[in-house]
């Protein structure tokens, strides 16, 4: 078994997943990359190899496919001989309320956003226990599980359940030196933040971003790299006593009561 640490990242082809892959590669990890988009995944691998000389294993596929899901851990062990970090980042959702939600969409969302992370956690933790290496499992949840929009019922249900699963898993695997933690991003500039449409199909993402940013104390959205930095830190020895909890990365949006445009009306000299 090599001494080089190994990370598995789902949803690795873009956004937070891509930024995380680059951060871990820069830090010297061997990287297993999982995503539905095989071509973009290969381009990322080529870029990582060229920039960092880091070894990568691509496993493209659909996390809603049981056969694919069950292949990720064995292929990683076969290639690298160990797993040190699992980053459950992949997500899928539709934008609709419970009024229009079909059971098929509900089940697919939960499969990708909850069932896949849960069982990848189970199988990765089993490999860590067998190798006696310990490890870290990072689940990317969402600030929306506590500040819901009313337009993502299945996604928010899955992310809320994932928050509970983080706590449960931390208790289950803690004595095996396996830490389980969460990252809950707020508004981050990714593809999932730029697909908001009105009933006529016009993209209204810019309007939504303006509204959200007006309520963010730091006055801007986040960058995927900022989330990736936190994931890398939580996976490091610097965070060795952190488990069973979730770090919110939202620029202060969650605890803020009112938009800054309203604050300025009340206190124009202060805001």
């Amino acid at each position: 078994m090599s001494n080089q640490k190994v990370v598995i990242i789902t949803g690795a082809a873009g956004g937070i997943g891509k930024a995380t892959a680059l951060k871990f590669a820069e830090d010297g990890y061997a990287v297993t990359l999982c995503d539905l988009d095989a071509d973009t995944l290969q381009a990322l691998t080529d870029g990582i190899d060229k920039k960092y000389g880091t070894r990568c294993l691509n496993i493209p596929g659909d996390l809603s496919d049981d056969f694919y899901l069950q292949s990720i851990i064995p292929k990683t062990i076969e290639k690298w001989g160990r797993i040190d970090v699992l980053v459950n980042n992949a997500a899928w959702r539709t934008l609709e309320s419970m009024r229009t939600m079909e059971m098929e969409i509900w089940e697919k969302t939960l499969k990708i956003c909850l069932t896949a992370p849960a069982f990848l956690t189970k199988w990765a933790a089993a490999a860590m226990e067998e190798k006696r290496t310990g490890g870290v499992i990072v689940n990317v949840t969402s600030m929306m599980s506590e500040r819901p929009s009313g337009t993502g019922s299945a996604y928010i249900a899955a992310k809320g359940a994932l928050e509970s699963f983080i706590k449960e898993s931390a208790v289950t695997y803690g004595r095996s030196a396996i830490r389980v933690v969460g990252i809950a991003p707020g508004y981050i500039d990714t593809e999932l933040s730029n697909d908001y449409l009105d009933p006529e199909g016009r993209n209204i993402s810019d309007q939504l971003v303006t509204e959200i940013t007006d309520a963010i104390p730091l006055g801007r959205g986040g960058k995927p790299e900022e989330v990736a930095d936190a994931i890398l830190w939580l996976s490091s020895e610097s965070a060795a006593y952190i488990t069973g909890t979730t770090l919110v990365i939202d620029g202060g949006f969650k605890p803020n009561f009112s938009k800054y445009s309203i604050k300025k009306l009340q206190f124009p000299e202060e805001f």
Side-chain angles (χ1 to χ4, degrees), residues 25-86:
E26 184 179 12
D27 203 49
Y29 280 73
V31 184
T32 294
L33 303 173
C34 305
D35 200 280
L36 187 62
D37 188 341
D39 292 339
T40 305
L41 205 60
Q42 185 59 53
L44 175 59
T45 295
D46 294 341
I48 287 174
D49 181 56
K50 183 177 180 179
K51 187 170 184 179
Y52 302 113
T54 298
R55 298 180 298 167
C56 295
L57 170 64
N58 282 0
I59 313 179
D62 185 347
L63 287 173
S64 66
D65 178 344
D66 287 344
F67 180 79
Y68 170 71
L69 182 65
Q70 292 170 23
S71 75
I72 293 171
I73 303 302
K75 285 182 177 180
T76 300
I77 292 295
E78 181 181 3
K79 177 70 173 179
W80 310 123
R82 62 188 292 166
I83 299 167
D84 296 277
V85 180
L86 166 66

Side-chain angles (χ1 to χ4, degrees), residues 85-251:
V85 180
L86 166 66
V87 181
N88 285 313
N89 168 69
W92 184 87
R93 55 100 171 97
T94 58
L95 290 169
E96 58 182 314
S97 76
M98 199 64 199
R99 291 187 179 92
T100 60
M101 180 72 62
E102 297 290 341
M103 190 176 293
E104 179 183 359
I105 298 298
W106 175 275
E107 290 176 347
K108 181 176 179 178
T109 307
L110 265 64
K111 182 67 178 288
I112 294 171
C113 296
L114 177 60
T115 303
F119 279 86
L120 286 175
T121 294
K122 170 187 170 74
W123 299 324
M128 293 170 182
E129 288 178 325
E130 181 180 350
K131 302 292 182 180
R132 299 183 183 276
T133 58
V136 183
I137 297 168
V138 183
N139 292 290
V140 179
T141 67
S142 174
M143 173 273 302
M144 292 180 69
S145 66
E146 295 189 46
R147 288 286 300 270
S149 64
T151 60
S153 302
Y155 178 78
I156 289 170
K159 293 299 187 180
L162 191 56
E163 292 276 1
S164 295
F165 181 75
I166 288 165
K167 297 178 178 70
E168 169 73 4
S169 299
V171 174
T172 301
Y173 298 112
R175 292 300 175 94
S176 297
I178 297 169
R179 296 189 293 111
V180 185
V181 293
I183 290 281
Y187 167 63
I188 308 295
D189 187 14
T190 67
E191 288 185 14
L192 277 182
S193 301
N194 289 282
D195 62 351
Y196 293 88
L197 307 177
D198 69 10
E200 282 71 47
R202 292 171 297 202
N203 194 302
I204 57 171
S205 299
D206 287 347
Q207 294 168 253
L208 179 67
V209 169
T210 299
E211 290 291 314
I212 293 174
T213 304
D214 191 18
I216 296 175
L218 293 185
R220 63 175 178 85
K223 303 172 185 176
E225 292 78 13
E226 292 172 314
V227 180
D229 280 333
I231 293 172
L232 181 62
W233 175 73
L234 279 173
S235 303
S236 74
E237 286 302 310
S238 296
Y241 201 55
I242 299 174
T243 193
T245 192
T246 296
L247 176 63
V248 178
I249 304 178
D250 69 349

